Amino acid sequence: MKQKKTSNTKEKQLHELLQHRYAHRGLHQKPVIPENSMAAFRRAVEAGFGIELDLHLTRDGKLAVIHDSSLKRTCGVDQNVEDMTMEEAQSCFLEESREQIPEFTEVLQLVAGRVPLIVELKAGKTQDGTDTTAALCRTAASALDDYAAAYGEKTENHGGKPGLVPALYCVESFSPVAVKWLRVNRPDVIRGQLAANINREKKTLTCTQNFLLKNLLVNLSGKPDFVAYNFDDRHEPALQRYDGPLFFWTIRSYADLKEAEALGAAGIFEQFDPKKYE
């Protein structure tokens, strides 16, 4: 599957993104240092690793950094974050810690352009069935615009005029609707399509949805700049045919990380520290 060309600026940024290793949901050490916590993000920055994180939209239009829509697994609270205000969500503690669910702006201020970010947009629905995808995309894009302006590196271009090298990040989603939104509304933002054979272990999608996703046919809509594929599904024929920029998730051993990098991909890892093996 031939990958479309990107602009020179995006190509350079994407090339740089692919040179890094990414701590999945931060450099956590569960349950004391929870996933997607400020402590986990702080550890990743200190270690020099890029960060992969997840965004949901709260009821009051804020960006909560958390993987699941439901807080039951991470906080022991049987409620969805889309139905809570940010203040309500932050009253819950993550796992066996006193860490709160971060607001995205807090994380951006912490990172401050020091390491690259992979931002996953988690499309969700409120209790009354309202789809949050478009609002999530708009809110995240606005926050990242501000981030690039605040922490981008000022340079001079060839004409002697000031320029800006933006703080390095990309945005990805399983939702082809979100990826298409980025294509239409933020074409200069590096966007990625998350994909896998989701139903391989547990059926959570319809057969049609899973077929389109694992075979990267959703790329026809969003025209992503890269694909982020499940490392365990790396032998899927569609991925074997794909020849564009690639990230692998989620890698849980140093040997697998090295294999991913040998295949030309950037690795999103957890449950180990690569530096301890080198």
Side-chain angles (χ1 to χ4, degrees):
M1 185 179 293
K2 192 74 174 175
Q3 177 69 9
K4 71 179 187 63
K5 290 185 178 180
T6 59
S7 69
N8 287 339
T9 300
K10 287 180 74 175
E11 282 183 356
K12 290 177 182 176
Q13 292 174 6
L14 187 48
H15 176 77
E16 178 61 27
L17 284 163
L18 289 165
Q19 308 312 305
H20 294 265
R21 293 167 171 172
Y22 296 84
H24 187 235
R25 308 176 196 171
L27 194 59
H28 55 77
Q29 192 172 352
K30 297 157 69 72
V32 179
I33 302 176
E35 65 181 59
N36 277 325
S37 67
M38 293 297 287
F41 298 142
R42 193 172 295 109
R43 289 183 80 217
V45 171
E46 290 170 354
F49 293 122
I51 294 169
E52 184 272 351
L53 55 82
D54 310 278
L55 296 185
H56 284 266
L57 193 70
T58 62
R59 194 179 73 217
D60 56 343
K62 302 293 180 62
L63 295 167
V65 183
I66 192 164
H67 181 269
D68 303 354
S69 182
S70 170
L71 303 191
K72 191 169 185 179
R73 177 180 67 87
T74 49
C75 302
V77 176
D78 193 8
Q79 193 169 354
N80 287 356
V81 69
E82 283 84 3
D83 297 314
M84 307 171 76
T85 65
M86 192 70 227
E87 184 178 2
E88 289 169 343
Q90 289 193 319
S91 69
C92 306
F93 294 111
L94 293 165
E95 301 178 41
E96 297 178 17
S97 77
R98 302 300 288 177
E99 290 281 325
Q100 298 174 306
I101 296 170
E103 187 173 352
F104 189 40
T105 52
E106 297 177 85
V107 180
L108 294 178
Q109 289 169 6
L110 168 70
V111 175
R114 290 179 289 172
V115 297
L117 297 173
I118 301 175
V119 179
E120 180 179 347
L121 301 180
K122 306 291 280 190
K125 290 186 177 181
T126 60
Q127 196 169 28
D128 64 6
T130 302
D131 191 297
T132 64
T133 306
L136 171 66
C137 291
R138 285 194 302 271
T139 308
S142 178
L144 287 165
D145 287 345
D146 293 343
Y147 176 65
Y151 298 107
E153 179 184 349
K154 290 182 173 60
T155 63
E156 285 192 1
N157 62 23
H158 293 299
K161 297 179 180 179
L164 184 70
V165 178
L168 201 59
Y169 69 87
C170 60
V171 184
E172 64 181 15
S173 183
F174 276 106
S175 167
V177 175
V179 179
K180 183 178 179 180
W181 189 97
L182 291 165
R183 175 175 69 84
V184 173
N185 296 282
R186 286 293 193 283
D188 292 334
V189 170
I190 298 169
R191 62 187 179 274
Q193 178 65 57
L194 278 156
N197 182 2
I198 297 293
N199 289 352
R200 178 171 54 84
E201 294 182 354
K202 183 179 180 182
K203 186 173 181 180
T204 57
L205 300 177
T206 67
C207 292
T208 299
Q209 288 172 328
N210 192 64
F211 179 82
L212 293 172
L213 198 62
K214 78 172 183 177
N215 288 296
L216 300 177
L217 296 176
V218 290
N219 288 9
L220 297 172
S221 172
K223 295 181 173 57
D225 301 306
F226 68 89
V227 163
Y229 213 87
N230 186 356
F231 182 75
D232 292 341
D233 294 332
R234 62 193 178 281
H235 300 301
E236 285 287 339
L239 188 65
Q240 295 291 308
R241 293 191 296 270
Y242 173 78
D243 65 352
L246 180 64
F247 292 76
F248 272 128
W249 57 273
T250 300
I251 294 172
R252 296 184 173 89
S253 76
Y254 183 71
D256 284 348
L257 179 61
K258 295 298 287 184
E259 180 180 343
E261 292 172 345
L263 293 170
I268 302 170
F269 69 90
E270 71 174 8
Q271 298 180 4
F272 72 99
D273 183 344
K275 291 186 175 180
K276 293 183 178 179
Y277 296 83
E278 297 176 336

